[in-house]
C-alpha cells in the first residue's frame, strides 16, 4: 500500500519516526510530507491561496528513516496532503496517516487540530485517511500508538470505503494494558483544555489537561478510562450526497425565505 505520512508537529515531531518505521515494517511504501515547523492549531488550512503564491519545499533525509522520501513544506500539513494527493509530486497515495500527534485530539474542538485537518483534507480529495494521536509528553506512548496505527491501517485497507476518515486516540498505556478499542462520538470537551487570558496588549492561550465535562462513552471519556477511541469523521466530499433525510433543514429554511418580509421598512 502506498501511504503518505504527515503531521502538524513538523519534521522534528517526536511521533513521526515511530509511526513511519512501524508502517515500513509492515511492508508499506511510505512517503512523508510534513511542515518545516510546528503548525498545530491550523485545522485544515493550507495557507495563502492568493494567485501566484509560492510555497517553499525541500527534500530531506532523516538518519532513522533511510531511503524514505521526505518533503518539507513551509505550510500547514493539509497543503502537503493537497500537493501529494493531486499527484504533482509523484504517484498519488492510496491512504494518508496523520500523526502521531503529541497530545490527544478529542472532543468537538478537534476542528482546530491540524492533525485531524490533514486527514479531512485527504478525505475531501477521495483518499482514505487516519489521524492518530497519543497522550501528552512525557507520558505519551508512541510505541503503543504506532501499533494501533498499523492495525487501524490493516482494517482500512481491507474494509473501508473511499473517503473514510478516522480519528484515533491512544491512551498513555502499554499495549497489554489497554482496556480495548471503542467506536465513539465526540465529547463536548476534549482532554486538552484551552484557556484564553486577556492582558493589556494580548490574548494569551494556555493549554491544560482536562478531565471534566467529557460525557459518557465519548472519545475523551473512553481514552480517560484506558480505551483506544475511534471516531468516524464525515468527509466534506460527502456533503454532496445527503442520504440521511432525518437531518434536513433545507425545506424549512426555504419556506422561511419565501415568507421573508419584503417591506423595506422592516429591519431586523
Amino acid at each position: 500500500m502506498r501511504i503518505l505520512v504527515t503531521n502538524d508537529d513538523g519534521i522534528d515531531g517526536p511521533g513521526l519516526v515511530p509511526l513511519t518505521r512501524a508502517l515500513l515494517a509492515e511492508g508499506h511504501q511510505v512517503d512523508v510530507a510534513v511542515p518545516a515547523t510546528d503548525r498545530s492549531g491550523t485545522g485544515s488550512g493550507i495557507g495563502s491561496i492568493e494567485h501566484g503564491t509560492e510555497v517553499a519545499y525541500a527534500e530531506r533525509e532523516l538518519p532513522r528513516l533511510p531511503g524514505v522520501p521526505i518533503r518539507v513544506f513551509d505550510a500547514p500539513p493539509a497543503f502537503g496532503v493537497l500537493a501529494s494527493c493531486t499527484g504533482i509530486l509523484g504517484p498519488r497515495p492510496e491512504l494518508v496517516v496523520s500523526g502521531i500527534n503529541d497530545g490527544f485530539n478529542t472532543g468537538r474542538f478537534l476542528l482546530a487540530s491540524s492533525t485531524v485537518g490533514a486527514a479531512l483534507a485527504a478525505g475531501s480529495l477521495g483518499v482514505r485517511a487516519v489521524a492518530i494521536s497519543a497522550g501528552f509528553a512525557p507520558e505519551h506512548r508512541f510505541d503503543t500508538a504506532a501499533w494501533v496505527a498499523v492495525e487501524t491501517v490493516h482494517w482500512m485497507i481491507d474494509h473501508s470505503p473511499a473517503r473514510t476518515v478516522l480519528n484515533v486516540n491512544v491512551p498513555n498505556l502499554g499495549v497489554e494494558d489497554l482496556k480495548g478499542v471503542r467506536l465513539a462520538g465526540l465529547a463536548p470537551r476534549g482532554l486538552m483544555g484551552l484557556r484564553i487570558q486577556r492582558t493589556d496588549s494580548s490574548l494569551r492561550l494556555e493549554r491544560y489537561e482536562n478531565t471534566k465535562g467529557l460525557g459518557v462513552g465519548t472519545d475523551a471519556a473512553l481514552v480517560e478510562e484506558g480505551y483506544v477511541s475511534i471516531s468516524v469523521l464525515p468527509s466534506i466530499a460527502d456533503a454532496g450526497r445527503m442520504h440521511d433525510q432525518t437531518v434536513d433543514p433545507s425545506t424549512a429554511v426555504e419556506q422561511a425565505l419565501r415568507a421573508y418580509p419584503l417591506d423595506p421598512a422592516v429591519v431586523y
Side-chain angles (χ1 to χ4, degrees):
M1 172 71 71
R2 177 179 290 276
I3 295 177
L4 177 72
V5 169
T6 189
N7 71 12
D8 69 359
D9 294 319
I11 184 67
D12 297 319
L16 176 62
V17 171
L19 173 61
T20 305
R21 287 172 64 93
L23 294 170
L24 288 170
E26 293 295 306
H28 298 296
Q29 184 173 350
V30 181
D31 294 339
V32 174
V34 292
T37 57
D38 192 319
R39 291 298 188 112
S40 300
T42 59
S44 56
I46 60 173
S48 174
I49 57 172
E50 289 298 317
H51 180 70
T53 294
E54 296 186 3
V55 177
Y57 80 98
E59 306 283 344
R60 288 281 301 274
E61 293 184 0
L62 289 177
R64 296 183 62 195
L65 298 176
V68 176
I70 300 174
R71 294 183 174 91
V72 179
F73 295 86
D74 184 19
F79 180 87
V81 170
L82 173 65
S84 300
C85 289
T86 55
I88 194 171
L89 298 173
R92 175 183 169 97
E94 300 169 274
L95 191 146
V96 171
V97 183
S98 183
I100 301 167
N101 192 63
D102 186 12
F104 297 120
N105 279 304
T106 55
R108 297 170 188 166
F109 198 60
L110 60 75
L111 61 85
S113 164
S114 310
T115 301
V116 176
L120 289 171
S124 72
L125 296 167
V127 178
R128 294 173 290 180
V130 178
I132 186 155
S133 304
F136 301 97
E139 292 84 11
H140 50 218
R141 291 294 300 265
F142 290 142
D143 55 340
T144 303
W147 177 84
V148 172
V150 164
E151 294 305 317
T152 304
V153 165
H154 283 165
W155 182 89
M156 292 283 281
I157 293 171
D158 293 338
H159 302 292
S160 66
R163 293 181 301 275
T164 299
V165 179
L166 301 180
N167 183 46
V168 183
N169 284 274
V170 183
N172 303 327
L173 298 170
V175 173
E176 68 282 359
D177 295 320
L178 294 173
K179 288 188 176 180
V181 182
R182 296 289 185 271
L183 195 66
L186 303 182
R189 300 178 63 190
L191 290 167
M192 187 196 80
L194 191 64
R195 182 183 296 113
I196 302 178
Q197 300 287 357
R198 180 176 179 178
T199 71
D200 290 339
S201 59
S202 68
L203 297 178
R204 174 183 171 83
L205 300 181
E206 297 179 349
R207 296 193 339 180
Y208 64 94
E209 294 189 37
N210 175 58
T211 59
K212 298 179 180 179
L214 304 180
V216 177
T218 64
D219 57 350
L222 287 168
V223 171
E224 182 71 5
E225 294 168 11
Y227 293 91
V228 174
S229 75
I230 299 181
S231 300
V232 182
L233 303 181
S235 168
I236 192 68
D238 293 329
R241 298 181 306 282
M242 295 297 290
H243 297 306
D244 184 0
Q245 299 301 315
T246 62
V247 181
D248 183 6
S250 59
T251 300
V253 172
E254 182 178 15
Q255 290 174 347
L257 288 174
R258 293 185 184 281
Y260 189 86
L262 300 179
D263 185 348
V266 177
V267 178
Y268 288 96

